[in-house]
Amino acid sequence: MADDSIAVVDLERCQPDRCNYECKNYCPPNRTGKECITLRGDDAEEGDPDQIHISEEICLGETCGICVEKCPFDAIEIINLPQELQDDPVHRYGENAFSLYGLPVPLEGQVTGILGPNGIGKTTAVKILAGELAPNLGEHGEPPGWDAVLDAYRGTELQDYLEAVKAGEVSVARKPQYVDKIPDRFDGPTSELLENTDERGVLDDLLERLEIEHVVDQDIDSLSGGELQRVALVACLARDADFYFVDEITPYLDISQRVAAARLIQEMAEEHDKSMLVVEHDLAILDLVADNLHVAYGEPGAYGVITDPKSVRNGINEYLAGYLDNENMRIRPNAIEFEEHAPRTASHADPLVDYPDLSKSYGEGEFGLDVEAGTVYENEVLGIVGPNGIGKSTFAKLLAGELTPDESGDALDLDLDIAYKPQYIEIDQSMRVDVFLRSITDQVGTSYWNTEIAQPLQLERIMEQNLLDLSGGERQRVAIAATLSETADLYLLDEPSAYLDVEQRVRATQAIRRYAEQQDATVMVVDHDIYMIDLLADRLMVFDGEPAVSGHAGAPTGMRDGMNDFLANLDITFRRDENVGRPRINKPGSQLDKEQKKTGEYYYAP
């Protein structure tokens, strides 16, 4: 194989007991007597001895690709690496396994951001920076050791840091990505978990800043996703460490909570001179929190490249454009574009449903919601925005018939078939993804489903996995696909962006939008990602009030009015990037912030 190609075998997908070794039998070098594709054998470092191994020295590379086509389980990838990758990888897990090129550079007193897809090597990079994994510089058979690594990085920005790692002088605090798994690992009151992390004596202050003092006496397994996210961040920031790794701060948080979390992270860097590394897929928050940015690209699960640091503005703009200037690398065929003004006017289509004034109270002294009567039109996408704990999910459940309004005591009779994706996706059955989806996909047609739902949501490679084994992002994509695959009059999607990376969010947004347009469907989307709502919605429904106490929802309105009402409640303004038109959060009290508040244009500023 050419020096710029690698072969990757996904051992979780390779199933020799269910195939006839088509890859091995049809391989051109094998058919001439060479041992290109062989069995791993009993001395394999990992995997089943009957699974395959590909010799990268003999393989003909991507120009052949016969094994890729013949594998019935999509377990093989032959990839031509970018010509720019002339150096050896930082780490490779083995032949036919994942390779990482480049490392982020933690800097004292700064927040370093990483922007890129899931499965691209961020966890591997953090393990190296934490001293938990010695990089092998691609020599997986005979790892060269730390001295060789230090020689390779001598004279670079990472030299001093890696020397400290080798000496065991770097302590690390982490916030995990999937906070909904915390109750599986810890059982007991939240106070017990947090008190064990309070190494800096700042626990009370952090709890107050993130407004979760009320959860301390509750059991961990009773907390909501947003509460778990803030507890996990508090547990991380309360530790006394040299290097902090924060893996996604925004899932399940509303925009004001996201901004509060971002400011805490910034303060850790600026006031305490800490090195902060943040992975985040909400571009507005990443733009706000980071001082510099690494872009990560490659083929998830096969290889990942982490670029040299860029300015945050340029890094995000290049990522959206799909072209990295310094690297001379195209990472996406098309740019992600934002319209500079309210993207669509209020719908003039026929009404799908007129819903009445609604109220829902959970009891005396408990949360109550009041909803003004409104109209949902056919073939529109209605965005629903507002703080957490304000009643958005309650409204969705009222429409879906899962809750009854106070007025009647009976479920709403809207004469609608409603497909509903809840905010928290619970899976309690052991079943393969394709089996789970098969009965639903038959209702919309296999050809359409494959083209417009499965492909945009990148479901092909997880179809044979068990539902219980899926990651948070994979579960989210399956849940979106299952909801869109139903035959319904109204589709309710509650926080579809959670745990999706930027690319997946764009794909999901496009799939939802295209489904609404091509199937004449009406969709309601509850989400906190401003970019996703901006790209997706025709109109907005704004919720306000006092979280966990009382909520109020106005009738649906146009995008400009809706965004202005929503952001005015939060006292946050956005400006537009002059090059690509993407929304950027203004610094509170800045000249732009003051000017936009004065004119009442909080989002679609001219």
Side-chain angles (χ1 to χ4, degrees), residues 202-215:
V202 294
L203 183 59
D204 291 341
D205 179 60
L206 292 174
L207 290 170
E208 181 181 356
R209 295 280 298 276
L210 291 177
E211 300 180 340
I212 50 169
E213 305 100 316
H214 63 282
V215 308

Side-chain angles (χ1 to χ4, degrees), residues 1-61:
M1 183 183 291
D3 290 339
D4 59 353
S5 297
I6 59 172
V8 180
V9 179
D10 187 336
L11 297 181
E12 292 186 359
R13 301 181 64 83
C14 181
Q15 303 181 50
D17 58 329
R18 296 180 57 200
C19 76
N20 296 314
Y21 290 112
E22 288 88 348
C23 58
K24 180 173 176 285
N25 295 332
Y26 283 93
C27 172
N30 277 39
R31 299 182 70 165
T32 63
K34 298 178 181 178
E35 294 188 340
C36 179
I37 300 181
T38 58
L39 303 190
R40 302 181 75 83
D42 293 329
D43 59 346
E45 294 181 3
E46 58 179 313
D48 188 312
D50 292 330
Q51 291 180 311
I52 66 159
H53 167 273
I54 300 176
S55 169
E56 294 183 340
E57 290 75 21
I58 300 174
C59 179
L60 300 178

Side-chain angles (χ1 to χ4, degrees), residues 257-336:
Q257 293 166 345
R258 295 178 183 200
V259 171
R263 288 172 179 162
L264 276 178
I265 292 170
Q266 285 177 314
E267 288 177 14
M268 283 291 292
E270 295 172 359
E271 298 179 11
H272 302 282
D273 209 29
K274 301 293 186 179
S275 297
M276 313 294 293
L277 183 64
V278 175
V279 175
E280 183 50 59
H281 302 302
D282 183 325
L283 296 182
I285 296 301
L286 183 63
D287 190 12
L288 178 67
V289 72
D291 297 303
N292 60 82
L293 182 70
H294 296 266
V295 175
Y297 67 94
E299 291 286 340
Y303 79 96
V305 183
I306 296 178
T307 69
D308 290 336
K310 302 173 180 285
S311 73
V312 178
R313 179 174 177 268
N314 287 345
I316 293 178
N317 286 354
E318 288 178 18
Y319 185 85
L320 291 173
Y323 179 77
L324 306 179
D325 290 342
N326 292 342
E327 292 75 15
N328 190 28
M329 173 62 59
R330 179 153 293 283
I331 60 174
R332 189 188 316 103
N334 300 310
I336 300 171

